[in-house]
Amino acid sequence: MRYRRSRCLTCYWRDGTFVVHPYPHGTPTSLHPVAAEVLSAFEEWTGPAGAAKALEHLTPETVEEAVAVLTEAGALLAEDSPEAHHDEEIDRHWSAWAPEASFLHYATQNDYLDSEISTQDPDLMPESDLMPDPAQMPPLFTTYPDAPRHPLPRSRAGLRAPYEQVVHARRTHRDFTRDAVSLETLGTVLSTVFGPVDFIDSGHGALYRRTSPAGGSRQELDAYLGALNVTGLAPGWYHYNGLEHSLELRREGLTRDEVVDVCAGQEWAGDAAFMVVLAARLERMSVKYRTPRCYRVCLLNAGHLGQTFALTATALGLGPSQTGAFNDGLIAERCGLDNAGHTPLYVLAAGHPSPDGPNEPPPATLTTFAHTPLRASQTATSPGSV
Ligand SMILES: Cc1cc2nc3c(=O)[nH]c(=O)nc-3n(C[C@H](O)[C@H](O)[C@H](O)COP(=O)(O)O)c2cc1C
């Protein structure tokens, strides 16, 4: 029988032991680090005897034993096995993003199945067995009590635009006028998207809900503001304190160039009136939900907040944007985050939209469709032959 090293394999040290972690079928297994050397002899289909020749300093018996253990763990795959075929398929489909993204995706698949699921929890997220003493729980709200603060107006800008109109009008805007956004409008965006709507009893103390759904209502995502062009607010970096409805100064000063810089050179971002950084305070989620899949939930939560931000900004007559391309370290530094337990996930922005509209791509024409397979059975044809 010949074997090959799984293409979907990550090795690491945990608590001082070397772990071989094949995914998605294998089992993370603690092994002697020499396992890595044995695995390296199975780059292509090889029998144990052939591998033993390449591993001269190991006896054939040791190699054979290692092969048995590594096969059991799923790190070595038998030729023509269904697992080997699936491994090749995953390797092919994920090659652009491997190993980082494929490992996160597959190593966290089904991890609910190994956890006890609480039936009391509104969204059936697996809980940690040991909830800390309430005094040890991370605070619900991030606050900077010593920071200079700017209370926001309690008056709200109108959000009465019909839903049908708002949901269809929402577009990503990259062209903005130089008009400043009023503090009232900014305050309405922040309180509507990030402020508490109500408080609930979780059984382990109070939690709060926002206008967006959030896994376990942990509200691990804090909102930091990069204010560039807001009436009555000095340009700079702030934290939105949702409990107080105030802005806490993190760093004075912000320029157009700096915004472009933190948004990975995207010029349009520098024309927005403000940006909002969603930063995860991991502990607020991980103190209760211990499985690594919950990191995916943090990303999903960020998406929900992004959509509510876009719809709210649209309803207020602003043009919203969002970007996944930003300089994480620089943003963390500007917002005063340690980029360890408190780390940026998503960047949103808004400003007054250019009267010319959002500078959209042109609508698709008959010619465009002729070059686009819309269904699996259809092949693209030459222009004019639709
Ligand atoms: C998660 C996410 C990341 C995005 N990142 C960028 C980006 O880095 N730069 C950019 O110009 N647009 C970015 N966009 C905007 C998309 O290009 C835009 O949503 C898409 O073209 C569809 O247009 P629409 O939003 O007007 O429907 C992003 C959108 C999302 C949802």
Side-chain angles (χ1 to χ4, degrees):
M1 174 62 73
R2 298 199 305 171
Y3 300 88
R4 175 177 60 60
R5 190 176 68 245
S6 171
R7 301 279 182 251
C8 305
L9 176 69
T10 297
C11 299
Y12 49 85
W13 276 261
R14 169 165 284 166
D15 301 329
T17 42
F18 181 67
V19 180
V20 170
H21 191 151
Y23 55 89
H25 301 296
T27 315
T29 306
S30 299
L31 294 170
H32 189 281
V34 77
E37 215 180 340
V38 176
L39 284 168
S40 67
F42 286 92
E43 175 69 22
E44 298 303 338
W45 296 113
T46 311
K53 273 191 206 145
L55 300 162
E56 285 168 344
H57 55 296
L58 300 177
T59 66
E61 292 73 33
T62 306
V63 174
E64 222 161 283
E65 262 172 49
V67 168
V69 172
L70 291 166
T71 306
E72 175 70 23
L76 285 180
L77 302 172
E79 194 168 13
D80 275 335
S81 62
E83 288 79 10
H85 290 303
H86 195 216
D87 181 67
E88 270 157 35
E89 280 300 284
I90 294 177
D91 185 41
R92 187 165 68 82
H93 285 285
W94 286 80
S95 61
W97 299 338
E100 294 86 343
S102 48
F103 182 62
L104 171 67
H105 184 74
Y106 288 105
T108 58
Q109 266 192 348
N110 303 329
D111 72 5
Y112 280 68
L113 305 181
D114 301 331
S115 316
E116 204 180 305
I117 293 186
S118 155
T119 49
Q120 296 206 330
D121 205 72
D123 58 1
L124 303 185
M125 302 251 298
E127 291 186 18
S128 158
D129 293 341
L130 291 173
M131 288 294 283
D133 187 74
Q136 307 296 318
M137 291 287 276
L140 286 191
F141 292 90
T142 296
T143 54
Y144 299 95
D146 300 330
R149 54 223 316 107
H150 193 131
L152 288 165
R154 295 280 171 181
S155 57
R156 295 167 72 90
L159 272 171
R160 294 226 173 76
Y163 176 73
E164 187 188 16
Q165 191 184 309
V166 171
V167 77
H168 288 289
R170 182 217 59 82
R171 289 268 73 90
T172 297
H173 286 256
R174 300 182 188 86
D175 275 317
F176 305 97
T177 68
R178 297 299 153 98
D179 298 328
V181 167
S182 73
L183 210 51
E184 188 183 49
T185 301
L186 174 69
T188 304
V189 171
L190 294 176
S191 65
T192 304
V193 184
F194 305 109
V197 166
D198 62 8
F199 290 82
I200 53 172
D201 184 343
S202 72
H204 303 287
L207 292 174
Y208 73 94
R209 296 189 291 192
R210 286 169 162 160
T211 47
S212 300
S217 292
R218 300 306 299 171
Q219 310 302 1
E220 74 286 356
L221 295 170
D222 293 333
Y224 287 79
L225 175 78
L228 207 48
N229 191 11
V230 178
T231 313
L233 187 65
W237 295 93
Y238 299 84
H239 167 252
Y240 175 60
N241 179 326
L243 193 59
E244 274 181 13
H245 190 49
S246 69
L247 293 170
E248 297 165 314
L249 183 68
R250 302 297 292 143
R251 187 187 171 104
E252 280 181 70
L254 180 61
T255 62
R256 183 191 184 281
D257 288 351
E258 189 179 340
V259 172
V260 172
D261 210 20
V262 298
C263 289
Q266 298 182 89
E267 291 289 334
W268 60 263
D271 297 331
F274 65 91
M275 58 192 280
V276 176
V277 174
L278 303 189
R281 196 175 269 280
L282 301 177
E283 192 189 15
R284 218 178 277 143
M285 180 68 106
S286 64
V287 72
K288 186 171 180 200
Y289 301 119
R290 308 291 302 169
T291 67
R293 186 187 182 90
C294 292
Y295 175 66
R296 284 162 56 165
V297 174
C298 297
L299 302 178
L300 297 172
N301 289 342
H304 278 286
L305 288 171
Q307 179 69 359
T308 307
F309 174 88
L311 293 178
T312 306
T314 304
L316 291 166
L318 299 179
S321 310
Q322 56 285 309
T323 176
F326 53 86
N327 186 327
D328 309 59
L330 197 54
I331 287 212
E333 190 252 312
R334 295 295 197 269
C335 297
L337 310 176
D338 62 8
N339 203 14
H342 207 183
T343 187
L345 292 188
Y346 200 8
V347 171
L348 316 169
H352 285 292
S354 152
D356 302 334
N359 188 12
E360 294 180 292
T365 64
L366 213 51
T367 312
T368 324
F369 287 123
H371 292 297
T372 312
L374 294 177
R375 288 176 292 276
S377 57
Q378 185 194 354
T379 48
T381 55
S382 55
S385 59
V386 177

